[in-house]
Amino acid sequence: AQSVTQPDIHITVSEGASLELRCNYSYGATPYLFWYVQSPGQGLQLLLKYFSGDTLVQGIKGFEAEFKRSQSSFNLRKPSVHWSDAAEYFCAVGRAGNQFYFGTGTSLTVIP
Amino acid sequence: SQTIHQWPATLVQPVGSPLSLECTVEGTSNPNLYWYRQAAGRGLQLLFYSVGIGQISSEVPQNLSASRPQDRQFILSSKKLLLSDSGFYLCAWNTQRGLGTGELFFGEGSRLTVL
C-alpha cells in the first residue's frame, strides 16, 4: 500500500534558524512528489514538486527539497526561516490513476 | 491563467439538513477534480475524484455524494448532514502529466459546521 509519513507533528524554530521537515513515502515505483503549505483557514499552496531529473528541487519562498530514492525520502528545507513561514506543511505523493496521497502534516511555529 | 472557486466559504447547518458545496474551475479543459475533507488538526482525506463529466469515484463510504454536471463544475452534496460531517472541505484540480498525475491546485476551502 502507498503511504506518506511525516514523523514530526509539530516543530518550533527560531526566526532565522534553518528548517528541515521530514517526509518518507512508500511506493513501488518512482513517485511524483510534492510539498504544500497551508495557512490557517486557507487552501493549500504548492511549494515545490519533483517529477524527474535533478534530485534537488527549488521552490517558492526560498524552500528546497531533496529526493533520496535510497531512503524513500523527500525532505523540505529552508536555510533561514521567517515568521511568515509559520503554517501547516504537507508532503504528498502522486501516482498514475490520478491518485494523491498526503501526509498528516507538520505544523511549524516560528518564535522571534 | 487557471483559477478555482469554491462556495460558500463558510456554512453552518443543523443536523439532518441538506448540503451543497460547489466548485468551478476556469481556464482549463477536462480537468481532474477532487473533493477533500480536512477535520480539525488532521490531514486531508480524499472523498471523491472525477476524471470527466458524470464520472465519479468515491474513496470513502459515507452520507456524502458528488456530481459533475459540467466539465469544470464539481458539486459535493448530502441529503442529511451528520455532526461528523463538520470540517474544512477543499476542492482541487489537476491534469494528467506523463504517466503520472500533475500537481493539485486547491480552492480556498469551505468550512462547514454542523450543529
Side-chain angles (χ1 to χ4, degrees), chain A residues 3-110:
Chain A
S3 68
V4 182
T5 302
Q6 293 181 247
D8 304 306
I9 297 174
H10 186 238
I11 284 182
T12 299
V13 298
S14 298
E15 191 169 15
S18 63
L19 172 70
E20 182 170 29
L21 302 182
R22 295 182 291 167
C23 174
N24 293 95
Y25 65 90
S26 170
Y27 182 52
T30 300
Y32 292 177
L33 297 162
F34 310 86
W35 274 100
Y36 287 84
V37 61
Q38 184 182 32
S39 298
Q42 302 292 315
L44 278 71
Q45 181 184 22
L46 180 69
L47 283 176
L48 47 78
K49 60 192 176 187
Y50 172 78
F51 291 140
S52 64
D54 192 344
T55 56
L56 183 64
V57 294
Q58 302 297 320
I60 63 172
K61 304 184 179 185
F63 285 93
E64 66 177 26
E66 185 172 12
F67 169 55
K68 293 186 177 180
R69 185 190 305 275
S70 61
Q71 299 178 20
S72 297
S73 69
F74 189 56
N75 294 347
L76 181 71
R77 301 194 293 251
K78 186 169 184 178
S80 178
V81 171
H82 188 262
W83 64 266
S84 61
D85 293 325
E88 189 88 15
Y89 291 81
F90 292 93
C91 180
V93 167
R95 55 159 288 178
N98 302 303
Q99 296 182 30
F100 257 74
Y101 299 91
F102 282 88
T104 51
T106 297
S107 176
L108 174 65
T109 298
V110 180

Side-chain angles (χ1 to χ4, degrees), chain B residues 8-21 81-83 85-87 89 110-115:
Chain B
T10 305
L11 196 60
V12 180
Q13 292 287 98
V15 170
S17 64
L19 170 73
S20 180
L21 299 179
L81 284 168
L82 307 172
L83 287 175
D85 291 323
S86 293
Y89 289 82
S110 298
R111 181 161 303 284
L112 171 65
T113 302
V114 183
L115 302 175

Side-chain angles (χ1 to χ4, degrees), chain B residues 19-42:
Chain B
L19 170 73
S20 180
L21 299 179
E22 296 195 30
C23 172
T24 59
V25 179
E26 297 177 358
T28 187
S29 297
N30 196 31
N32 303 316
L33 296 171
Y34 304 76
W35 278 111
Y36 284 87
R37 177 168 61 197
Q38 188 176 26
R42 299 178 66 179

